[in-house]
Amino acid sequence: MARIVMKFGGTSMAGMERIRNVAARVKHVVDQGNEVAVVVSAMAGETDRLVGFCKEASPLYDPAEYDVVVASGEQVTSGLLAMTLKAMGVNARSWLGWQLPIRTVEAHAKARIESFETEALISAMSSGQVAVIPGFQGMMESGRIATLGRGGSDTSAVAVAAAVKADRCDIYTDVDGVYTTDPRIVSRAKKLDMVTYEEMLELASVGSKVLQTRSVALAMKEGVRVQVLSSFDDPTQEELPGTLIVSEEEIEDSNMERQLITGIAVDKNEAKIIVTRVPDKPGAVASIFTPLAEASINVDMIIQNDSKDRGETDVTFTVPRTDLARSVDILEALKDSIAYNRIITDADVAKVSVVGVGMRSHAGVAATMFKTLADRGINIEAISTSEIKVSVLIDEDETELAVRVLHSAYGLDAEAAA
Ligand code: ASP
Ligand code: MG
């Protein structure tokens, strides 16, 4: 017997027919003798619809009432699922955020979970009752309802799994796992059997939008084993059909043969800024990045060259595309104090990253990347690295070519499809 948290996304909950499929899947896992808690999202499109009503009610809507409205989508699906389970003869009940309670910090629409009272939940689960929990919601110290930010049900599910010390948190979604890269770009992308938390964080935040990034960070912190799988494949098939997201130790122990590179991520949400002829003296780069930080603009890649005795240098960096105009405004207002020559911007760039814990102990990963891109005449505009990732900034038009050639170069291509 195991204790399993099952999470179903909006596509899986969209309409009664799908909710019945979800209930059948839950029943299957219960019938195998497991203790089960289920975390659900609102029906697909429902949260957007509710947000729309709030905006219509008042452009400057009250965030506390916004949470009251948008949390209702999950309340509907949790009740419907519990009802459907009971009709199938499965003992089940819903537990709303305030009934557990899941306590959050005081920050409407973007709350973080602070603590979780599990006594009642665990005793219900161990008596054989399935707990159905609406994702996305919690309760503030003040007693008011809070929501966790868009996509927050993934984080709710991981928090429930951590709190009840679940053996696994299965996240059912509309993709059947995590791939080596976006299968829409590379048709020979492969589904990964296992990926480490750290790799998943890199792959998720750079474009493989499978899970809310915060949920992966929480799973890593709490050591929750997560499986991503599809809610549309056969529930009675082999036990673990999806991708497991686990610690590096668990992967090492599994003796799986590992590739040096686990996956390739693409991010088209950044823009490049070059600030030319900045004085090469202490404090110069601080005078550029401090005001951006104060405006909460998240700078990612940064390059600055040696000035070679000229006394001035160019500073190149990237910011989120949505913050490009604001960044330029801020820097233009400070032209005299920073004392640069001019600002050049380019929004048509893409960041391509190769990710893999294997590169910690191997030399040559970056060299392979640069050579592969050079062979195709792809120019690299900026580079950044971490222990498990090498990223390059290239022209957006060359993204697909770059991803395809890198996918082959690191041996990630699946056997040709029949
Ligand atoms: N329903 C919420 C949203 O659409 C939370 C979730 O589904 O994860 O953002
Ligand atoms: Mg989701």
Side-chain angles (χ1 to χ4, degrees), residues 74-353:
E74 275 74 8
Q75 190 150 327
V76 170
T77 48
S78 58
L80 289 172
L81 179 60
M83 223 179 251
T84 310
L85 283 166
K86 283 180 137 165
M88 286 180 177
V90 179
N91 182 10
R93 75 154 273 192
S94 63
W95 294 84
L96 302 186
W98 60 270
Q99 292 169 329
L100 288 163
I102 296 173
R103 288 197 190 278
T104 71
V105 296
E106 305 276 319
H108 282 293
K110 48 174 193 291
R112 268 180 303 104
I113 297 175
E114 228 168 20
S115 70
F116 198 137
E117 279 159 45
T118 47
E119 228 170 282
L121 179 64
I122 290 180
S123 84
M125 283 175 73
S126 38
S127 78
Q129 188 177 57
V130 174
V132 185
I133 300 166
F136 189 46
Q137 61 172 255
M139 185 183 103
M140 293 183 171
E141 201 57 60
S142 62
R144 301 211 63 176
I145 195 162
T147 61
L148 305 181
R150 297 304 305 272
S153 304
D154 292 335
T155 301
S156 305
V158 171
V160 170
V164 304
K165 302 196 169 34
D167 296 284
R168 211 174 56 238
C169 180
D170 283 344
I171 300 198
Y172 289 86
T173 163
D174 41 14
V175 295
D176 60 357
V178 181
Y179 279 74
T180 48
T181 195
D182 185 341
R184 286 168 306 184
I185 299 180
V186 180
S187 57
R188 287 167 77 179
K190 274 184 297 197
K191 192 172 82 188
L192 296 161
D193 291 326
M194 285 186 167
V195 60
T196 67
Y197 298 119
E198 283 172 291
E199 289 167 332
M200 187 63 198
L201 279 172
E202 297 292 2
L203 293 170
S205 62
V206 276
S208 316
K209 297 179 208 72
V210 185
L211 297 179
Q212 196 197 35
T213 306
R214 258 169 66 197
S215 70
V216 182
L218 183 64
M220 175 157 110
K221 178 166 160 271
E222 300 286 341
V224 174
R225 304 171 68 240
V226 175
Q227 180 186 202
V228 174
L229 70 173
S230 162
S231 48
F232 297 109
D233 47 36
D234 173 13
T236 57
Q237 68 180 342
E238 59 184 301
E239 226 221 309
L240 295 180
T243 300
L244 264 188
I245 308 168
V246 291
S247 66
E248 218 170 315
E249 293 73 47
E250 179 166 344
I251 295 188
E252 276 159 17
D253 292 346
S254 77
N255 278 326
M256 269 216 356
E257 208 198 311
R258 297 282 286 158
Q259 300 268 15
L260 179 56
I261 295 303
T262 303
I264 298 173
V266 180
D267 184 0
K268 293 188 179 177
N269 297 315
E270 291 192 19
K272 182 176 75 169
I273 300 179
I274 306 174
V275 184
T276 71
R277 300 179 58 189
V278 177
D280 191 12
K281 59 164 204 235
V285 279
S287 70
I288 296 175
F289 294 114
T290 308
L292 295 177
E294 281 164 358
S296 298
I297 293 169
N298 216 333
V299 173
D300 181 31
M301 308 171 102
I302 302 178
I303 21 177
Q304 188 204 346
N305 271 331
D306 190 272
S307 69
K308 299 247 185 1
D309 308 327
R310 277 188 293 119
E312 50 192 31
T313 178
D314 295 347
V315 179
T316 303
F317 57 95
T318 61
V319 295
R321 259 185 216 182
T322 47
D323 288 331
L324 177 60
R326 217 154 52 91
S327 306
V328 171
D329 283 351
I330 291 170
L331 295 174
E332 271 172 356
L334 296 168
K335 187 164 197 282
D336 293 339
S337 61
I338 302 172
Y340 62 85
N341 179 251
R342 74 195 180 100
I343 292 177
I344 304 166
T345 65
D346 184 359
D348 301 320
V349 290
K351 184 170 80 167
V352 175
S353 308

Side-chain angles (χ1 to χ4, degrees), residues 31-50:
D31 288 346
Q32 287 174 325
N34 298 301
E35 273 178 24
V36 177
V38 189
V39 176
V40 294
S41 281
M43 296 191 194
E46 179 63 7
T47 310
D48 287 340
R49 193 176 75 98
L50 296 170

